Amino acid sequence: KQFSNIQNFLRSQKTEDKELQNNFNFLNFLRHMMNSYYKVLTRFNLSVGNAIIELIMELIQGDVQQNIACLLNKTFIYDLCRLLTDFDTEYHTLPRGFGLDPFHEAYLEYKANIISTFKLMLENKNEQNGAILKQHLDVKGLLKVFKNLFENFMVRKAIKNIEDINDFIYKLEIDDFKGPLESAINIYIIYRYIWPDPIKFREALRNMIKELHHGDSQKQDLLEQIVF
């Protein structure tokens, strides 16, 4: 059951459709917190980051368009995209306490929450919010994240190559749909929300895959096989 009254109340405290004099926009507060937090994120304060993003996720589930619109202001989407794309190499993870591992379990969980936040915003979007999200989401950067997550899953499962994608899918177990594969699937769902038309979806993804793996036909074919 959705508690939209409480969700909206945390954005705007009203009585008889009039905002209270000391109205406090909690979503604005969380957005500002995220803007400050992503710059100082480390393994040792990750519980703070998870607390912020998980509370945001609770406040944008369901039909709460004004809450989603509130988060689309300023640099919120840009900041979250940077946490997925810019901080995805060992040069960034080392000084943040994750060692030389962009797929450190603690950081992977945090990335999963960010990806789920984007997915929730698109699931519950209206036309206006959807247009703003499509404009500000780093769709090309997300494809690289998708590729890295899937490759990490293959490393964990000791899979060297995929000859038949259908055979690969049928051999997956329940526990496989956790961690990096779950986040990769959620990015795929994000793309389907952005391009609901199958033809536009294939065209957009195929162009981005070519750009990502320009000159490497083997990697390009593998990614196309996974996506399509």
Side-chain angles (χ1 to χ4, degrees):
K1 183 178 178 179
Q2 182 186 354
F3 295 93
S4 57
N5 288 339
I6 296 176
Q7 289 171 301
N8 288 321
F9 184 78
L10 288 172
R11 185 195 74 255
S12 176
Q13 294 86 59
K14 294 182 178 180
T15 176
E16 297 179 357
D17 293 329
K18 294 182 180 179
E19 284 192 354
L20 299 180
Q21 184 176 359
N22 296 321
N23 179 63
F24 181 76
N25 190 328
F26 196 60
L27 272 163
N28 264 343
F29 174 71
L30 291 173
R31 179 165 53 80
H32 286 299
M33 283 187 68
M34 181 57 70
N35 178 256
S36 299
Y37 173 74
Y38 93 93
K39 302 167 187 174
V40 298
L41 178 150
T42 73
R43 180 168 65 90
F44 309 103
N45 62 22
L46 202 57
S47 58
V48 176
N50 275 316
I52 296 170
I53 200 69
E54 286 171 6
L55 184 50
I56 288 173
M57 289 166 64
E58 289 295 329
L59 296 178
I60 60 172
Q61 295 187 48
D63 187 18
V64 283
Q65 301 300 330
Q66 288 179 289
N67 284 5
I68 295 174
C70 179
L71 293 172
L72 295 177
N73 293 326
K74 307 295 181 182
T75 63
F76 179 76
I77 302 300
Y78 174 76
D79 294 342
L80 292 191
C81 284
R82 284 202 64 190
L83 285 169
L84 294 175
T85 58
D86 291 12
F87 302 160
D88 200 33
T89 69
E90 52 195 36
Y91 301 108
H92 286 98
T93 56
L94 181 59
R96 294 176 183 274
F98 300 106
L100 297 174
D101 184 11
F103 300 97
H104 188 286
E105 289 300 328
Y107 195 29
L108 195 63
E109 179 186 355
Y110 187 59
K111 289 180 179 178
N113 280 335
I114 294 172
I115 293 167
S116 294
T117 299
F118 289 148
K119 178 169 154 290
L120 279 171
M121 296 177 88
L122 286 163
E123 280 177 355
N124 302 312
K125 70 183 185 305
N126 58 18
E127 186 175 348
Q128 182 178 0
N129 289 342
I132 296 173
L133 274 165
K134 287 172 68 175
Q135 179 183 353
H136 293 293
L137 271 175
D138 182 3
V139 291
K140 292 181 180 180
L142 282 177
L143 183 62
K144 186 176 180 180
V145 176
F146 172 89
K147 176 187 77 73
N148 291 341
L149 286 167
F150 199 87
E151 288 177 352
N152 180 255
F153 171 76
M154 292 178 66
V155 169
R156 290 171 182 238
K157 296 288 291 184
I159 301 171
K160 293 184 178 180
N161 56 63
I162 299 175
E163 296 180 359
D164 186 323
I165 191 65
N166 291 320
D167 183 59
F168 165 78
I169 292 172
Y170 290 136
K171 288 181 178 179
L172 291 173
E173 300 176 355
I174 296 296
D175 287 342
D176 292 331
F177 292 94
K178 299 176 182 177
L181 183 59
E182 180 183 16
S183 291
I185 291 171
N186 279 336
I187 291 176
Y188 176 87
I189 294 171
I190 287 170
Y191 285 137
R192 294 311 300 253
Y193 280 128
I194 293 174
W195 295 290
D197 180 89
I199 295 175
K200 291 182 178 179
F201 169 81
R202 293 180 70 88
E203 181 182 357
L205 266 294
R206 184 160 280 125
N207 288 336
M208 288 195 296
I209 290 171
K210 286 181 181 178
E211 185 175 338
L212 180 64
H213 287 310
H214 181 68
D216 192 331
S217 59
Q218 186 175 1
K219 288 186 177 180
Q220 184 176 316
D221 290 343
L222 175 60
L223 195 53
E224 286 190 1
Q225 185 181 14
I226 294 166
V227 173
F228 303 126

